[in-house]
Amino acid sequence: MSRTRSIRITVLAAGIQLVKKMTTSSATSSDVLFETVGNKGVITLNRPKALNAVTLPMIKEITSHLQAWKSTAAFVLMRSSSEKAFCAGGDVVDVMQKVTRGENDWSDFFRLEYAMNHLIGTYPIPQVALIHGITMGGGVGLSIHGKYRVATEKTIFAMPETLIGMIPDVGATYFLPRLKGNLGRFLAFTGHRLIGYDVLRAGIATHFCDSEKIKDLQNDLLALKDATGLEKLLESYTESSARKSTEQESILNSNIEALFCEDSVEGVISTLESDGSKWALEQRDTIRKMSPTALKLSARLFNEGKNLSLKEALILEFDVLQKAVPDGDCREGIRARLIDKDNKPKWNPSRLEDVEDSYIDSFFVKAERPLEIH
């Protein structure tokens, strides 16, 4: 594995707002575009220079249109205007600035974001997300809870939150434990980037399409009369694209299931050291760069998430973030990785063995204003 890089983390916020029934529409901002094509709703993320980093106004508009379309559209297509990214970033820096200024509404950012995640996860009609390019953090939240996710050979998937002292969120507590072979624990602890066909192999994408055919796929999707032909169409593109993509060397061929079988971070590190292979020791070194507190929080969330619904997982993540953002390592991680960019965070505590269980317990307290999802 290559050395860990500073990664832009996606944090989205979503507002629940109904809009009037429409046949065509346009966003108040060109950062996200909306249109109705026949009986299909189309959302196009349109901030290519920012790798489609999502802002609060964009999320409010996305949620508004999703609410309107759920009773009028056959399905929703979510795509990007960028060749580089589906959705790679959001503004955790702004959240931390609010915390620093003592503004009490900082948590509303997550409150609205998670409401959107749940809306997508319980959406009554299919959503097809074309996750072409970088898809990280909140970009994952926009896509993974929907029915269909189509990857290409240029898809880059990651949940790298522990690198900045945060927890994998946007429902990661729900979906990571459900990946096979301890892959979810590996992704949570290391922030590893899955690329191309591995995103489909992992079960994160449901289908695959060569990037050179992605425009053809979009045209074919919008030509459908209704949602009944979706599955067959997506499978046909997957089958025609799989021939050369399966030749890609796969990270999933590594011994992830055995090496990441322990429930605790310390147990995983011990297993990696006992294995002693080059790859195992590289993973150990990567884990040691992460916030010890964030790692232990992630381990507990992962273990509890196995038995939670998406709604319960989002509520638990919201509760944990009430302390993790203002009082945990998040402030220092954002400073070191995203603001000063010295990449030298001073974690507190700095060692896993110094993070006491009682300290981790203190994060798992019900929020004063609990997250309510309907």
Side-chain angles (χ1 to χ4, degrees):
M1 176 187 291
S2 60
R3 291 170 55 188
T4 304
R5 301 174 183 175
S6 178
I7 302 171
R8 174 179 285 180
I9 308 298
T10 304
V11 174
L12 306 178
I16 305 292
Q17 178 183 347
L18 292 175
V19 295
K20 295 180 180 179
K21 183 178 179 181
M22 61 191 77
T23 56
T24 60
S25 61
S26 60
T28 56
S29 165
S30 62
D31 289 344
V32 58
L33 308 175
F34 303 94
E35 58 184 318
T36 300
V37 180
N39 59 349
K40 278 79 68 177
V42 182
I43 300 172
T44 306
L45 304 177
N46 191 44
R47 296 188 70 204
K49 291 183 179 179
L51 300 178
N52 287 332
V54 181
T55 64
L56 178 57
M58 290 168 65
I59 295 303
K60 287 182 176 179
E61 290 185 271
I62 290 171
T63 304
S64 297
H65 284 77
L66 288 175
Q67 290 281 18
W69 281 330
K70 68 182 182 180
S71 60
T72 61
F75 63 87
V76 172
L77 172 63
M78 188 177 293
R79 62 187 181 182
S80 164
S81 64
S82 168
E83 280 295 309
K84 292 183 178 180
F86 170 71
C87 177
D91 205 347
V92 291
V93 174
D94 181 65
V95 172
M96 191 51 64
Q97 287 174 341
K98 286 188 174 185
V99 172
T100 301
R101 293 193 297 264
E103 298 178 19
N104 294 327
D105 64 347
W106 66 266
S107 64
D108 288 345
F109 199 77
F110 299 100
R111 186 185 304 276
L112 298 174
E113 173 188 21
Y114 296 174
M116 180 207 60
N117 297 149
H118 187 261
L119 173 63
I120 293 173
T122 57
Y123 208 49
I125 62 173
Q127 175 182 284
V128 182
L130 304 182
I131 53 173
H132 175 56
I134 300 169
T135 305
M136 296 184 184
V140 177
L142 274 176
S143 54
I144 199 165
H145 302 301
K147 187 169 185 179
Y148 299 115
R149 291 89 62 190
V150 183
T152 73
E153 76 278 6
K154 296 182 180 179
T155 300
I156 302 174
F157 169 95
M159 294 297 292
E161 286 81 359
T162 53
L163 190 66
I164 61 163
M166 285 187 69
I167 57 167
D169 64 335
V170 297
T173 299
Y174 174 79
F175 67 79
L176 286 179
R178 286 162 175 79
L179 298 180
K180 295 180 180 179
N182 295 320
L183 179 62
R185 186 180 286 113
F186 165 67
L187 295 173
F189 288 4
T190 67
H192 180 82
R193 299 177 178 190
L194 292 177
I195 298 174
Y197 204 75
D198 268 355
V199 182
L200 177 65
R201 289 189 181 104
I204 292 158
T206 58
H207 295 85
F208 192 86
C209 177
D210 290 334
S211 60
E212 62 187 21
K213 299 178 181 178
I214 200 75
K215 290 183 179 179
D216 292 336
L217 173 58
Q218 292 181 57
N219 292 334
D220 287 346
L221 285 167
L222 296 178
L224 290 173
K225 293 182 179 180
D226 52 43
T228 56
L230 267 177
E231 189 84 32
K232 185 176 180 179
L233 178 62
L234 294 174
E235 287 178 357
S236 70
Y237 272 88
T238 300
E239 290 172 4
S240 64
S241 301
R243 296 184 185 94
K244 62 181 180 181
S245 297
T246 51
E247 297 173 2
Q248 170 196 328
E249 184 178 352
S250 176
I251 183 67
L252 305 184
N253 292 331
S254 303
N255 198 15
I256 291 173
E257 183 169 9
L259 294 176
F260 284 80
C261 64
E262 297 291 336
D263 287 341
S264 69
V265 186
E266 296 94 333
V268 167
I269 289 177
S270 177
T271 302
L272 292 169
E273 290 180 337
S274 296
D275 179 89
S277 66
K278 179 181 178 182
W279 188 86
L281 296 179
E282 286 175 346
Q283 309 320 305
R284 177 204 62 186
D285 294 343
T286 295
I287 292 171
R288 284 179 170 171
K289 295 178 182 178
M290 309 303 185
S291 156
T293 298
L295 284 169
K296 284 203 168 186
L297 290 172
S298 298
R300 179 160 167 181
L301 286 166
F302 183 93
N303 294 330
E304 293 195 14
K306 296 174 184 177
N307 301 311
L308 299 180
S309 66
L310 173 59
K311 178 179 178 179
E312 291 168 334
L314 289 165
I315 290 172
L316 182 59
E317 290 171 0
F318 183 81
D319 291 342
V320 170
L321 282 180
Q322 302 314 295
K323 180 178 175 67
V325 172
D327 300 328
D329 277 339
C330 186
R331 188 191 303 251
E332 173 61 10
I334 290 175
R335 179 207 65 76
R337 307 291 190 191
L338 303 178
I339 299 176
D340 297 341
K341 298 182 180 180
D342 57 30
N343 291 318
K344 296 179 180 179
K346 296 184 172 87
W347 305 127
N348 183 27
S350 61
R351 302 186 308 164
L352 275 169
E353 53 266 40
D354 294 332
V355 182
E356 298 180 356
D357 291 343
S358 60
Y359 181 56
I360 296 302
D361 289 342
S362 71
F363 289 80
F364 287 80
V365 176
K366 202 67 181 173
E368 291 185 10
R369 288 179 57 216
L371 175 65
E372 295 182 0
I373 296 178
H374 305 288

